[in-house]
Amino acid sequence: DTGVSQDPRHKITKRGQNVTFRCDPISEHNRLYWYRQTLGQGPEFLTYFQNEAQLEKSRLLSDRFSAERPKGSFSTLEIQRTEQGDSAMYLCASSLAWQGPGYTFGSGTRLTVV
Amino acid sequence: AQSVTQPDIHITVSEGASLELRCNYSYGATPYLFWYVQSPGQGLQLLLKYFSGDTLVQGIKGFEAEFKRSQSSFNLRKPSVHWSDAAEYFCAVGILTGGGNKLTFGTGTQLKVEL
C-alpha cells in the first residue's frame, strides 16, 4: 500500500494557462474523490468517481474544470484558462465502495496562479 | 444541509498540557464524524472516526474524541500535548450521497504548542 499519490506537488502557472493534475489512488480502491482547499479553509468537495464513472460534481466545479478517470485507475483534473481564484490546494482521496464515509487523502497539489 | 463548526480558529497550549478542540455539527441523521490533522503544505491524515457504537473513540497519536448526540458535538482531546502535535486540525461530517460519500469539513483549528 503506497498510499494516494498526487503529481505535481506544486504548480505555478500564469493566468489564462491550462493545468492538469494527476492522482493515483490506492490500487484496489474503486472510489476516487477530488477536493479543493483554499487558504484558511477546510477542504471542499469537487467531484467523485466510482471506477471510471463520474457520479457527482459540485457546483464549485465550473465549466473550466474537467476531471477524468479512464479505466478506473488514475484520475486527472484539468483547469482551463486559469484564474487567480483557482489558487488552492487540490486534494485527491480514495476509498473502497463498501467502506462508508472517510477515506485516505494524498498530499495534494498546490496551485498558484500568477 | 450538513455543516461543521469549529469555534476556535487558533489555540495555543504548553507542551505537556491537556488539549481539547471543539467541534459542533449539524446533520439530520446519525452522522459519521472524523478528525483529520494537516501539517503545513501536506495532505490530511485521519486521526479517528466515529460511525456508531461506543461514543468515546480512540485514535492515533494518543488522541481521542467523544460523540455527544445531545450537544451535537465531537470534541477532540489529548491528555498531554507534544511539540510535534502543532498542526491544523479539521473536524468533518460524512454523508452518503448518490451512492457515494462526501465529507463536509469545518474551517479548522490551528494548534500552536509552546515549549
Side-chain angles (χ1 to χ4, degrees), chain A residues 5 11 16 21 26 28 30 51 55 62 75:
Chain A
S5 177
K11 178 71 175 178
F21 312 139
I26 294 172
E28 67 270 24
N30 51 3
N51 301 314
L55 296 185
S62 76
S75 175

Side-chain angles (χ1 to χ4, degrees), chain B residues 20-42:
Chain B
E20 183 169 29
L21 301 182
R22 297 184 290 165
C23 172
N24 291 96
Y25 68 89
S26 172
Y27 184 52
T30 300
Y32 301 97
L33 295 163
F34 306 84
W35 276 99
Y36 283 88
V37 61
Q38 186 178 37
S39 298
Q42 300 298 311

